[in-house]
Amino acid sequence: MPPKYQQLADRLRKAIEDGRWAPGDQIPTEIELRDSSGFSVNTVREAIRQLVNQELLEKRQGEGTFVRRRPDTFPVLLSDEEGRRAADLPGDAYVSSVLLRGRRPEVGRPHVDVVEARADVALRLDVKVGAKVVTRVQQRFVDGTPWSLQTSYYPMDIADGTDLIRPGDIERGTIRLLEDLGHPQVGYTDELTARMSYPDESAFFAVTGAGVSVQVLWRTAFDAERPIRLTVTVYPADRNRLVYHIGSVPAKYRDRS
Amino acid sequence: MPPKYQQLADRLRKAIEDGRWAPGDQIPTEIELRDSSGFSVNTVREAIRQLVNQELLEKRQGEGTFVRRRPDTFPVLLSDEEGRRAADLPGDAYVSSVLLRGRRPEVGRPHVDVVEARADVALRLDVKVGAKVVTRVQQRFVDGTPWSLQTSYYPMDIADGTDLIRPGDIERGTIRLLEDLGHPQVGYTDELTARMSYPDESAFFAVTGAGVSVQVLWRTAFDAERPIRLTVTVYPADRNRLVYHIGSVPAKYRDRS
């Protein structure tokens, strides 16, 4: 038998999952929950604390406790680079995909730097640890809301002397630029993991409290021979859903959201 | 300028990311950190609390604070179902892929049930909310450690009267069984999000404290016409890394871990 606060937390969570309490709803007060559940106020408090930690509830100062409103999650299609290129859409994949869904994309001015490759970057770019690499950091927004944080890494022998090492946007997109530089992208490997947001990320994503769960996507792009770019993107889970279509998915099921 | 505890937390996090403090290392005491950093003990304590929340440090009762040891993360290859089927490997994809890496797979006995489809399940299986669906829940282990929790949902008109609705393993694997039932899988859509583990999951994954970040994969499998299965898998981020190869990835870069 789980502890009492756990039993209550599970019961409240179920009310949210079943939709009996909808996003944005104010939930009953601690006293009301004590009376309706038969548990003590301390038990009620502990159960609510757990659901706040799980990002299901949020406390608003002086107002009460509410079912956390999930922003309209944006489906990020990660499997269609090939298709998109075939369709010959211009420039940045992110901008195109947001526009295609009738939303307003916005990207911050890229911050360009030269840094020494950490072990995890060096492994993926197949360069020595400590080798110089070019980084481009960019903030991305949907409809004015911060949506993702992206850092791209380029091997110095590819980036040096090109637009990649210069500040400013690359109008034609980096995939096309790399192609022009003799490094056509033929495929990529995506590696995904999850963690809580770091404070600088929480600040950018305007998250308060303990942070928000993020998915971190490590995308290594290859030409026929070698890695040509590593892109690390941090997606807050409360406003993104990462999507892959593999094989042949019937057309009517490809664009659900 | 961020608050002092934040400055210190960022500095300590960097020490871990740079490898100056390695997984399993004991970090200095609060007093030592106070003396070396010049910040107050309260500031030190708050910085450490933040890194514990971020799953970078862990406190061990009566021993001290340690850099959290990441178990050997297991790369879960999610893009190769097609290739695996072509290679005609037997049975369960999970078992095959763990064996291929020289690790020991183990799956719990499936728990089979008939439930009413919640909205999120109904949407993906293209059935009415509340329609009866068959669920099969299975625990998965690698080398004896709990690795993932999987729940599969089947539309009743496909599962009824078949092995899918009966308890027990399906030796030939469910993909082959669905094929024999006239529903050959031609593709799938993966949707990924992240959150903190729920208590029942934390208990299974043997996680203490506030839980662990998990990735949740919703895989909808299709035949040429319709969804034939939905599989929801919960992967704790501390022991899994989800991998997709898209397009043509040079062979020497396909199997890094």
Side-chain angles (χ1 to χ4, degrees):
Chain A
M1 195 74 168
K4 285 178 182 167
Y5 78 90
Q6 192 55 66
Q7 296 172 39
L8 181 59
D10 287 344
R11 207 188 297 171
L12 302 184
R13 173 154 64 84
K14 202 157 159 24
I16 297 169
E17 288 179 344
D18 290 349
R20 273 176 288 146
W21 289 350
D25 280 2
Q26 182 166 11
I27 72 163
T29 64
E30 290 176 355
I31 301 299
E32 288 166 342
L33 283 171
R34 178 198 66 186
D35 295 344
S36 64
S37 71
F39 291 126
S40 72
V41 164
N42 277 341
T43 298
V44 167
R45 206 164 283 159
E46 187 57 31
I48 289 177
R49 186 174 303 137
Q50 188 182 89
L51 296 174
V52 169
N53 281 340
Q54 286 172 9
E55 304 164 23
L56 291 170
L57 295 178
E58 63 182 352
K59 283 176 183 262
R60 296 187 205 147
Q61 197 65 37
E63 289 188 73
T65 303
F66 294 79
V67 179
R68 192 158 162 163
R69 202 187 287 280
R70 299 252 139 185
D72 182 16
T73 63
F74 188 79
V76 183
L77 191 53
L78 294 171
S79 56
D80 79 332
E81 293 271 329
E82 303 299 313
R84 199 188 52 80
R85 291 184 67 205
D88 213 25
L89 284 170
D92 187 273
Y94 169 79
V95 169
S96 307
S97 67
V98 176
L99 283 175
L100 278 172
R101 291 179 181 275
R103 310 279 292 267
R104 182 167 55 84
E106 194 188 333
V107 293
R109 193 177 157 76
H111 178 78
V112 181
D113 210 347
V114 174
V115 303
E116 295 183 356
R118 295 190 319 245
D120 46 8
V121 171
L123 171 74
R124 288 172 178 82
L125 282 184
D126 205 0
V127 300
K128 289 200 168 64
V129 174
K132 294 270 191 290
V133 293
V134 173
T135 65
R136 301 176 66 87
V137 180
Q138 203 160 37
Q139 301 178 333
R140 293 170 156 190
F141 303 80
V142 173
D143 297 339
T145 301
W147 227 263
S148 60
L149 262 177
Q150 189 166 85
T151 305
S152 293
Y153 299 83
Y154 298 88
M156 188 53 92
D157 70 297
I158 290 180
D160 207 10
T162 76
D163 282 349
L164 291 170
I165 204 172
R166 290 177 202 118
D169 289 323
I170 295 172
E171 291 293 338
R172 57 190 152 165
T174 54
I175 291 181
R176 192 144 312 177
L177 173 59
L178 284 165
E179 190 166 342
D180 293 345
L181 294 172
H183 298 287
Q185 177 178 319
V186 300
Y188 51 88
T189 295
D190 283 357
E191 298 168 87
L192 288 145
T193 188
R195 56 171 169 77
M196 292 302 281
S197 56
Y198 293 150
D200 50 337
E201 297 163 345
S202 299
F204 170 61
F205 294 125
V207 172
T208 53
V212 64
S213 294
V214 296
Q215 291 187 279
V216 185
L217 167 66
W218 293 66
R219 170 169 291 187
T220 311
F222 299 92
D223 67 14
E225 306 290 337
R226 58 175 281 197
I228 56 177
R229 180 184 54 185
L230 167 68
T231 304
V232 182
T233 311
V234 178
Y235 295 100
D238 66 359
R239 65 200 77 170
N240 286 282
R241 197 160 33 91
L242 309 186
V243 180
Y244 291 84
H245 295 305
I246 309 280
S248 172
V249 173
K252 70 174 280 207
Y253 298 107
R254 289 187 75 92
D255 282 317
R256 286 179 311 191
S257 49
Chain B
M1 194 74 169
K4 284 179 184 167
Y5 78 89
Q6 193 54 67
Q7 296 173 39
L8 181 59
D10 287 345
R11 208 189 295 171
L12 302 184
R13 173 155 63 85
K14 205 160 156 23
I16 297 169
E17 288 179 345
D18 290 350
R20 274 177 287 146
W21 290 349
D25 279 3
Q26 182 166 11
I27 72 161
T29 64
E30 291 176 354
I31 302 299
E32 288 166 342
L33 283 170
R34 177 198 66 186
D35 294 344
S36 65
S37 72
F39 291 127
S40 72
V41 163
N42 277 340
T43 299
V44 168
R45 207 165 281 160
E46 188 57 31
I48 288 178
R49 186 175 303 139
Q50 187 180 89
L51 296 175
V52 168
N53 281 339
Q54 287 172 8
E55 304 165 22
L56 291 170
L57 295 178
E58 63 182 354
K59 284 177 183 260
R60 296 187 205 146
Q61 197 65 37
E63 289 187 72
T65 303
F66 294 79
V67 179
R68 192 160 161 162
R69 202 187 287 279
R70 299 252 140 186
D72 182 16
T73 62
F74 189 79
V76 183
L77 192 52
L78 294 171
S79 56
D80 80 331
E81 294 270 329
E82 302 299 313
R84 200 187 52 80
R85 290 184 68 206
D88 214 25
L89 283 170
D92 187 272
Y94 169 78
V95 168
S96 306
S97 68
V98 176
L99 283 174
L100 278 173
R101 293 181 180 275
R103 309 280 292 268
R104 183 166 55 84
E106 194 186 334
V107 293
R109 193 178 158 75
H111 178 78
V112 181
D113 209 347
V114 175
V115 303
E116 295 182 357
R118 296 189 318 244
D120 47 8
V121 171
L123 171 74
R124 288 172 179 83
L125 282 184
D126 205 1
V127 299
K128 288 201 170 64
V129 174
K132 293 271 191 288
V133 293
V134 173
T135 64
R136 302 177 64 89
V137 180
Q138 202 160 39
Q139 300 178 333
R140 293 170 155 191
F141 302 80
V142 173
D143 298 339
T145 301
W147 227 262
S148 60
L149 262 177
Q150 189 166 85
T151 305
S152 293
Y153 300 82
Y154 298 90
M156 188 53 93
D157 71 297
I158 291 181
D160 207 10
T162 75
D163 282 349
L164 291 171
I165 205 173
R166 290 178 203 119
D169 289 323
I170 295 172
E171 292 293 338
R172 58 190 152 165
T174 53
I175 290 181
R176 192 143 313 176
L177 173 59
L178 284 165
E179 191 165 341
D180 293 345
L181 294 171
H183 299 287
Q185 177 177 319
V186 300
Y188 51 88
T189 295
D190 283 357
E191 297 168 88
L192 288 145
T193 188
R195 56 171 169 76
M196 292 301 281
S197 56
Y198 293 150
D200 51 337
E201 297 163 346
S202 299
F204 170 61
F205 294 126
V207 172
T208 54
V212 65
S213 294
V214 295
Q215 291 187 280
V216 185
L217 167 66
W218 293 65
R219 170 169 292 187
T220 311
F222 300 91
D223 66 14
E225 306 292 336
R226 58 174 282 198
I228 54 177
R229 180 184 52 187
L230 167 67
T231 305
V232 182
T233 312
V234 177
Y235 295 100
D238 67 358
R239 65 200 77 170
N240 286 282
R241 197 159 33 91
L242 309 185
V243 180
Y244 291 84
H245 295 304
I246 308 279
S248 171
V249 172
K252 70 175 280 205
Y253 297 107
R254 288 186 77 90
D255 282 317
R256 285 180 311 192
S257 49

